Amino acid sequence: MREIFSLLFTIILLTGCAETTPTPSQKNSSKKEELIKKANSGDINSMLDLNELYLFPQTKEGLDLYNRWIDVVLQSDDIDGIIDIHRVYYKYRKMFVNGLDIRRKLLFRAAQLGSQEALSMLILDHIDKREIRDLHQKIIKKNNQNQLITLYNTYMYLEKSHEGNEVKKLITKSHKDYYDELSLSDKYYYLNVAYYKSRTDEKEFKRVIKTNLESDDLEIIIDTGKYLYKKSRRLRDAREFFEKAVAMNTQDSTIYLYLAQIYESYREDKKKIEETLKKAISMDNYKATERLLERYKEQKNSLEYLELKKRLLQQHNGKRALAAFLYENKKYGEAYKLYDELAQQNDMKAALFLAKEKRVREYEFDPEKDLLVKKYRKIILEADEPYLRSELKFFQFDKELKKKIIEIELQEKNLKTLKEMAFSNYGDKSIPYLKKAAEYGDIQGKYLLISKLSNYGEDFRKKVAMYEELIAIGDKKAYKELAIAYERKGGLDNIQKIVDLYEKAYEKGDKSVIDSIIGYYICPQCKILNDEKVQYYVDEAIKDKNTEFILRLARSYKTGTTTTKDLTKALKFFKIAYEIDKNPKTKQHIENLQNKGEK
């Protein structure tokens, strides 16, 4: 996707002498429009490109489109794409109506299409929620062996051995057959599960490693090796995979880099290490070049160094690594020259390096450097590449540069920038930025704006109106927040309204409000005592296996702190809680209430 940068960067580089900075709307956006068109037709990779290059959904345009694309993604059959895009929606979840629900829907879709990774993530996210228990029952009813094995593995990973062993009784398929049928991405998910299970049982992990090592699929060999390389206690296993990849004539330069690093770890022959690094360098590997240059640091005038330098000048990544090496060793003139050459060949990292350099101070004299810095800052400011400017924005040495970038981002209706400006301004000065973010549809912006309003007079009326607007567009959180706002307002007149809002929040799936609801229904002063409602929510808590709530209710009746003391009811609810989890401490409460001293 980085090739998108090249064309626009070249155009701006060739016209870099222009004095007038065009507004964002005047810049070349044909590539963005092409990506949007593809995304509208269901291409998830284009949505991901728009996130990386144009910071969608961080802008108003991006947020509008990402809202529209939720249904598009939910109709897609691209499992890997759905899992990738769900991470973007999760990252920006606070900007969307019911952002966490979007993540759940996308994972359900991927699981429905057969992704075992998505199924596992759903269970990990919602292990104690009724909807996952419902899913658990559906899997058992269908007797889907792959899903049963995933369910078992996830329970064991969570150290929920009771649930895991119950599922294990239903499994008739071997783990080997299960693994062989998995997609490539699910194989890596399973490898990770097996690795963490290996802390208590290494047998399955070893079997997966052996299966992968026997594979003729170069991608499996490489990716398994890379996974193992990240686990420090598995370097010997990683070495086997990397050496097999080399034997299979891999063109992945990082394999040679990692092998050299493993050889270094085991203090193998110096020549073997350097020859392995040189093989990676022949494939233009940046990090391998860095490592070999570092080895030559103490002998940089040697023949080996000079030969390497000559070779690196013919490469792209090699030249950039050489420029970094020269810069670190205070050969600034040579380094700047190389970075400039690279930038003119559309190397954005080189351009950013130069743009981030300190401008020359008055008492210094380095006109070449100063011209380069100004040139590349101007180019990045004019490029239709928001992600480049975002990397340059927090450059700490030039406040004027940051100001220019912020001005451009505000023109582009960048919601993140609006909120950053709100946070950097105190009191009423932050409100205009939050109003804009809210106006552009940013749900987080709306909540932040509401937080600026008091619970008195016109402010409170505005607060209620804004929460009601959020409720009207389907935001479930707003029910609870409006109830809390009325509570803070105070007075007995709003109690029924507060309870109605909490009950609506509960109905929409927010189980955290159950204590607040019951608190009103058992409160004598609130004048809405209702044993039927209390029993209804206790029954709901039983379905959810929410013993903590039932125990809190039992203690309330036992102590009489929030309601009228009633030991009969206390005993009743302690017994209900004990039936759910058989907790010995709960049994002790029951025995205490049943003995003559507490009757």
Side-chain angles (χ1 to χ4, degrees), residues 242-431:
F242 291 149
E243 288 180 341
K244 180 169 181 178
V246 168
M248 294 172 76
N249 198 29
T250 178
Q251 296 304 302
D252 187 335
S253 64
T254 58
I255 298 306
Y256 294 95
L257 169 66
Y258 292 156
L259 261 179
Q261 290 171 337
I262 291 171
Y263 295 155
E264 284 178 339
S265 298
Y266 292 117
R267 298 181 180 178
E268 299 206 9
D269 180 65
K270 172 186 170 183
K271 186 175 180 182
K272 182 178 184 180
I273 295 168
E274 291 184 359
E275 286 303 315
T276 308
L277 285 172
K278 285 177 182 177
K279 182 66 177 176
I281 291 168
S282 71
M283 300 176 182
D284 203 15
N285 185 284
Y286 180 87
K287 289 189 176 295
T289 307
E290 275 188 322
R291 292 187 81 89
L292 190 55
L293 283 168
E294 193 61 34
R295 293 177 73 89
Y296 286 163
K297 188 171 183 178
E298 299 305 318
Q299 49 184 19
K300 53 182 173 287
N301 292 320
S302 69
L303 181 61
E304 289 93 339
Y305 168 76
L306 294 172
E307 285 178 354
L308 177 62
K309 182 178 179 181
K310 183 178 178 181
R311 188 170 159 191
L312 296 178
L313 290 171
Q314 306 304 312
Q315 297 179 331
H316 187 88
N317 289 327
K319 185 186 283 189
R320 185 155 48 81
L322 178 60
F325 177 77
L326 291 168
Y327 184 86
E328 287 169 11
N329 288 278
K330 300 183 179 179
K331 301 288 184 183
Y332 299 122
E334 281 188 80
Y336 291 143
K337 182 183 176 184
L338 293 180
Y339 277 124
D340 187 29
E341 288 175 10
L342 289 162
Q344 291 190 59
Q345 295 166 9
N346 310 319
D347 186 319
M348 68 199 77
K349 290 181 180 178
L352 276 169
F353 177 88
L354 291 168
K356 286 180 178 180
E357 276 293 270
K358 292 182 185 180
R359 290 282 301 278
V360 177
R361 298 184 180 91
E362 290 179 9
Y363 55 83
E364 294 177 324
F365 184 73
D366 193 345
E368 290 87 359
K369 173 187 173 181
D370 199 38
L371 285 170
L372 278 176
V373 172
K374 286 194 287 187
K375 172 183 174 182
Y376 285 104
R377 286 186 186 179
K378 187 173 187 294
I379 286 169
I380 289 172
L381 284 175
E382 294 181 2
D384 188 23
E385 300 292 337
Y387 79 96
L388 278 178
R389 290 195 302 274
S390 72
E391 291 191 37
L392 188 58
K393 182 167 71 173
F394 294 106
F395 178 59
Q396 58 184 322
F397 300 112
D398 196 324
K399 292 181 180 178
E400 194 60 35
L401 175 65
K402 180 178 179 179
K403 185 179 177 182
K404 287 180 182 177
I405 294 173
I406 288 171
E407 286 173 358
I408 293 171
E409 290 182 339
L410 291 177
Q411 284 181 298
E412 293 174 331
K413 300 179 181 178
N414 188 303
L415 302 165
K416 183 181 178 184
T417 304
L418 282 165
K419 288 178 286 190
E420 287 170 351
M421 292 300 292
F423 289 131
S424 64
N425 285 273
Y426 296 102
D428 291 345
K429 290 182 179 179
S430 67
I431 291 176

Side-chain angles (χ1 to χ4, degrees), residues 66 80 184 460 506 513:
Y66 260 72
D80 291 340
L184 200 58
F460 185 72
Y506 186 88
V513 299

